[in-house]
Every structure is written in structure tokens, then in C-alpha cells.
Amino acid sequence: AYASFNSNVPGLNDPRVRRALSMSIDREFITGKLLRGGQLPAYTFTPPGMANYTTVAPPEWSSWSFERRQAEARRLLAEAGYGPGHPLKVEIKLRNSPDPTLFYPAIQADWKSIGVDARLAQVETQVAYADYRSRNYQVADAAWIADYNDPITFLFLMRSDTGAQNYSDYRNPAYDGLLAKADAEADAKVRATYLAQAEQLMLSDAPVAPIFFYVSKNLVSPSLSGWVDNLSDRHPSSQLCRKKD
């Protein structure tokens, strides 16, 4: 799950503002106290454990105390021209499904603590994504589940020629160039390096704020063999077998 920032909106077109909003989200509170389903706080966009990838270092601030992150967020907002006399005002458009309605009030409170006036607007999921695709939003509650086990299934979302699914309208020629080099690279390790460099660049620009990684929940009988946990949560029946008593 992630928050997308519409880069066409004044204020949100400034990477300092986007970084401030991202670093001031208390992901540990959301995953540990609200969701409580084993979800992992996300500081990168590509989930850990994806095939054909090099681990990407999270932003430096991810290791700071939450109080230090809040202080830095206030500084960045002030540098961008926002403060008590001129607060940043944003609308968060969110899906009216259980998880977003649970954790976005916490994000609203996190942003209030750094002087941001955030208003929540709940809509039906289909309406929400139609608005994201047409850029009829400021901050969007969005999510993505991998179509296949490769980082490009996530990273392509921020490519400038992706179209409607690049909700933030993120455009960085250097990012596009790294993805193009990865597409043309036959060496898997070199390709992984290009993809990691691209994600590192994108995270610095902060068109999105990763919030948490989903988990799969399955109840598996001890008598079943051949079940192997995997990121895609795919379990072909041809590989499953019931153990004999």
C-alpha cells in the first residue's frame, strides 16, 4: 500500500514537501498497532525478496527516531514556504474499504503534527481509481499487487510513458533511462543494479510514499506437503500432496 502524490498540484509538485509527508508517516504504528496482520512497514517500493533484484537501501531517515523525522519534515515544509502562518492543505482521497479507513486517520494525525491540514475524502474503490487515473486527486490511497515475480512489475508504474497508472505523473528522464537500460540488459546481475539505481532515484524524488507491504494469509493443514511460501502466493495443485496417515 502506498500514498501517491499528484505532482500537478501546487505544493505537491515540490519534492521537499513530498519527502516531508512521507517521512512523517508512522509506519510502525500502522502495521504494529492498527493492522496487526503481519504487514511490514515499507520504506522502499519493491517488496523484499523479489526475484532478479538487488536490495535497495531505504531512505536515510527511515532509521531515525519518529521525533527526529517530524522535526526534519517541519524544516522541509518551512524551506518550501509552509508553516503556522501558511499551512499546507491537502485532500486525501481514499477507498472506503476496511484497511484504508483504519489507517488513513492515523496518517491524517501524523501530518497534523507537522502542521499539515489534511482532509479525508472516502469514495467507492472504483470511483477512487477512476479519479486517480484522471488525476482528480491530491493525495491518493493506492495499492499494487505484483503480476509476476520481478521488480519491474512495481517499477514500471512510475515510468513516464506508463500512462494512467502512473498516478503521480512522475517524470524523470534519468529514471526512464535506467529502466530502458535494464530492459536491454541480458546479464541478470547488471540488470538488477540498474533497477536498484532507478528505485533509489525514485525514492529520493518521492512521487509516492510506500506505507506497508501486504502479507498473504493461508490456513494450511499439516497433512499437506508441497506448499511453499512465495511472494506471488501461487500454489499449483500439481505440487501439492496430502500426506498419508
Side-chain angles (χ1 to χ4, degrees), residues 195-234:
L195 292 174
Q197 290 173 354
E199 179 163 4
Q200 206 86 60
L201 179 61
M202 183 270 291
L203 291 172
S204 177
D205 290 338
V208 298
I211 301 172
F212 63 87
F213 295 120
Y214 286 113
V215 291
S216 300
K217 300 176 183 178
N218 300 294
L219 185 63
V220 184
S221 171
S223 66
L224 190 69
S225 65
W227 182 282
V228 179
D229 289 335
N230 61 87
L231 286 174
S232 301
D233 196 30
R234 291 174 180 156

Side-chain angles (χ1 to χ4, degrees), residues 69-166:
R69 284 159 49 185
Q70 289 175 312
E72 175 63 10
R74 294 186 193 100
R75 188 194 69 79
L76 287 170
L77 288 172
E79 192 177 275
Y82 297 98
H86 181 222
L88 175 68
K89 297 181 180 182
V90 296
E91 179 188 83
I92 305 172
K93 186 163 288 187
L94 63 147
R95 300 161 290 165
N96 63 348
S97 51
D99 281 357
T101 55
L102 178 63
F103 68 81
Y104 266 96
I107 293 177
Q108 180 186 35
D110 288 340
W111 289 353
K112 183 178 181 180
S113 72
I114 61 169
V116 174
D117 182 2
R119 185 175 73 87
L120 302 180
Q122 293 185 33
V123 297
E124 294 285 342
T125 297
Q126 289 183 336
V127 174
Y129 277 106
D131 283 346
Y132 303 164
R133 290 191 294 269
S134 64
R135 311 304 186 252
N136 181 28
Y137 81 94
Q138 295 179 357
V139 178
D141 149 49
W144 185 255
I145 296 175
D147 292 320
Y148 45 88
N149 191 10
D150 188 89
I152 203 67
T153 191
F154 288 94
L155 299 180
F156 92 97
L157 290 170
M158 253 63 75
R159 202 168 57 192
S160 63
D161 61 356
T162 289
Q165 288 181 302
N166 180 0

